[in-house]
Amino acid sequence: MIGPLIKGLTITFKYIFKKKFTVQYPEERRELPPRAKWLHILQRHEDGKERCVACMLCASACPTEAIYIVGEENDLENPISHGERYAKVWDLDLGRCMFCGYCVEACPEEALAMTDEYELAVPTRKDLVLHKEDLLVEPGTPPVKTWLGFYRKEPIGAMPVTRPMEVHVEYEEYLKRRGPREAHE
Amino acid sequence: MIRLEKKGRNPFIVYGEEKSIEEQLRRNILLTTVDAMLKWSRRNSLWPLPLGLACCAIEMMGAFFARYDMARFGFEVFRFSPRQADLMIVAGTVTRKMAPIVKRLYDQMSEPKWVIAMGACAMAGGPYNSYAVVQGVDNLIPVDVYVPGCPPRPESLIYGIMKLREKIKQEREAKIL
């Protein structure tokens, strides 16, 4: 009877001197994997303009229809994004989102990224809908390399994106130079 | 949510200052210590009733095991009997067939009781926008804290319960009248 008791207690006493298994959560956090997919952010260019051009690709890629976008034409003198349009409303319903990351995959401007912020508890259902001003980063924030570009060597934004604003202005000027055309042409 | 708190918006401040004289009389100085004691004991011994209905239950179990030991905060034991539980953690898809059982379990819990909706399905139906799934457990029972994620990490759930503790701290139960 004594033998098995000592055998069992030896294991117990061994664990006293081992490294503690428990993570003391609020003070100490586990490091997440580099491609952890949690709360989305909307990124900005280096000059502070928004990356999102309201192309609606994330909203159409979303399997649960959690993203709602209203796009609007940019003002030519004072543009908000580099493209023709910008997102006037960009809402994300966390009550539907399942953090699959298809929106980040779909984004051609690398405007969307997912961070490792997983502490998302809110008290009401109304707070579950995050708006653009909650998700948009401050100007001057270093760009987050998305998990999509994990194996990519180039920095964010190196990918050729949609037509920049200068080309758009050039095109407008070209249209002015060319003058009106006939309808059938 | 930390992102909102950084932007100066804490959604968890729910009880503002009451200005009417009746309310101030009710929050009498005689009862403040009783109130503090009540709240202290309540928020440090929340015994949860696990309502694991889908995959979120796995993460809920993970939060209770040795790695993220929730017993450190006094959420000591899973009470599988609703009469001994204070906190209901609805983890998973609430189907229409399960809905009356969820309601009955909530009714059988003794007051005071709180509810956490864990995961997208329990919060708002999640990916299942269908006739068979209740679109949010708040259609059945009042929910105190919503924990987004599909499923949320164990840390997210612990954060949600810490936020619930903050909410209980703001409550004012003891009254003279």
Side-chain angles (χ1 to χ4, degrees):
Chain A
M1 199 195 98
I2 288 289
L5 188 71
I6 289 171
K7 198 178 166 190
L9 281 180
T10 334
I11 295 171
T12 313
F13 279 116
K14 258 188 205 164
Y15 272 97
I16 292 178
F17 301 107
K18 274 191 179 170
K19 194 173 171 284
K20 298 289 180 288
F21 189 66
T22 308
V23 180
Q24 304 290 328
Y25 160 62
E27 292 86 29
E28 160 194 357
R29 283 144 200 268
R30 275 176 90 182
E31 196 181 331
L32 293 196
R35 282 178 282 174
K37 297 183 288 181
W38 287 104
L39 187 64
H40 308 64
I41 49 168
L42 286 167
Q43 308 208 68
R44 285 177 189 269
H45 282 284
E46 286 81 9
D47 55 357
K49 295 215 173 62
E50 289 169 15
R51 277 181 177 272
C52 181
V53 292
C55 65
M56 310 272 178
L57 278 176
C58 50
S60 44
C62 185
T64 59
E65 300 170 1
I67 300 173
Y68 174 71
I69 307 175
V70 176
E72 204 172 71
E73 291 279 326
N74 256 326
D75 187 14
L76 279 181
E77 277 78 43
N78 193 14
I80 293 174
S81 74
H82 277 204
E84 284 178 33
R85 308 203 303 157
Y86 73 100
K88 193 178 166 196
V89 177
W90 203 99
D91 285 357
L92 171 71
D93 188 1
L94 285 182
R96 292 275 176 207
C97 179
M98 52 183 191
F99 300 93
C100 58
Y102 285 5
C103 47
V104 182
E105 271 182 40
C107 188
E109 296 276 346
E110 295 178 75
L112 261 180
M114 286 172 119
T115 56
D116 56 353
E117 188 187 328
Y118 48 76
E119 289 142 328
L120 307 170
V122 285
T124 60
R125 197 156 160 178
K126 201 178 137 209
D127 292 319
L128 283 175
V129 181
L130 293 179
H131 305 292
K132 187 181 161 191
E133 57 267 23
D134 303 328
L135 297 167
L136 200 64
V137 298
E138 299 298 313
T141 318
V144 174
K145 213 171 176 185
T146 60
W147 51 275
L148 194 62
F150 186 67
Y151 295 111
R152 214 175 60 210
K153 298 284 188 295
E154 301 92 37
I156 175 177
M159 233 163 46
V161 291
T162 51
R163 203 168 53 182
M165 204 63 209
E166 293 79 39
V167 182
H168 184 72
V169 174
E170 269 177 25
Y171 183 66
E172 294 277 321
E173 281 170 2
Y174 163 73
L175 284 182
K176 270 182 209 160
R177 270 204 317 275
R178 194 192 58 188
R181 279 189 174 186
E182 298 297 324
H184 63 269
E185 200 174 3
Chain B
M1 190 180 291
I2 290 173
R3 172 162 287 274
L4 295 186
E5 279 171 27
K6 274 182 196 158
K7 294 192 184 246
R9 231 178 83 196
N10 188 358
F12 276 93
I13 297 174
V14 280
Y15 300 99
E17 289 286 315
E18 284 83 8
K19 281 171 188 159
S20 66
I21 296 172
E22 288 89 353
E23 280 299 312
Q24 285 178 7
L25 273 176
R26 256 179 225 180
R27 311 278 145 74
N28 200 299
I29 197 165
L30 291 171
L31 287 178
T32 47
T33 321
V34 179
D35 212 22
M37 186 72 196
L38 261 181
K39 285 187 295 187
W40 175 79
S41 57
R42 275 175 188 173
R43 72 172 185 268
N44 284 308
S45 66
L46 284 172
W47 284 7
L49 163 75
L51 201 64
L53 303 174
C55 39
C56 280
I58 306 295
E59 300 289 312
M60 180 175 66
M61 286 183 251
F64 277 82
F65 286 150
R67 177 68 89 176
Y68 310 96
D69 189 10
M70 263 171 57
R72 290 178 291 140
F73 306 106
F75 318 135
E76 191 69 42
V77 275
F78 273 151
R79 286 286 122 178
F80 290 91
S81 156
R83 295 175 211 283
Q84 296 159 7
D86 308 304
L87 165 67
M88 185 189 227
I89 302 178
V90 185
T93 324
V94 186
T95 51
R96 274 189 197 266
K97 199 153 189 174
M98 195 65 192
I101 303 163
V102 175
K103 181 80 176 74
R104 176 182 290 181
L105 284 173
Y106 178 75
D107 290 341
Q108 283 176 346
M109 282 165 69
S110 52
E111 292 273 354
K113 51 193 172 186
W114 295 275
V115 178
I116 286 184
M118 178 188 182
C121 301
M123 285 190 307
Y128 305 110
N129 194 355
S130 124
Y131 63 87
V133 173
V134 177
Q135 300 297 311
V137 77
D138 58 347
N139 291 325
L140 305 169
I141 52 180
V143 178
D144 289 293
V145 175
Y146 297 81
V147 183
C150 190
R153 286 181 69 84
E155 289 109 318
S156 308
L157 178 62
I158 295 176
Y159 178 79
I161 299 183
M162 308 280 274
K163 285 289 157 185
L164 178 66
R165 270 162 54 136
E166 277 180 27
K167 204 172 168 181
I168 295 171
K169 205 174 175 181
Q170 294 173 23
E171 279 176 8
R172 291 184 179 174
E173 279 288 314
K175 282 172 189 169
I176 272 190
L177 299 175

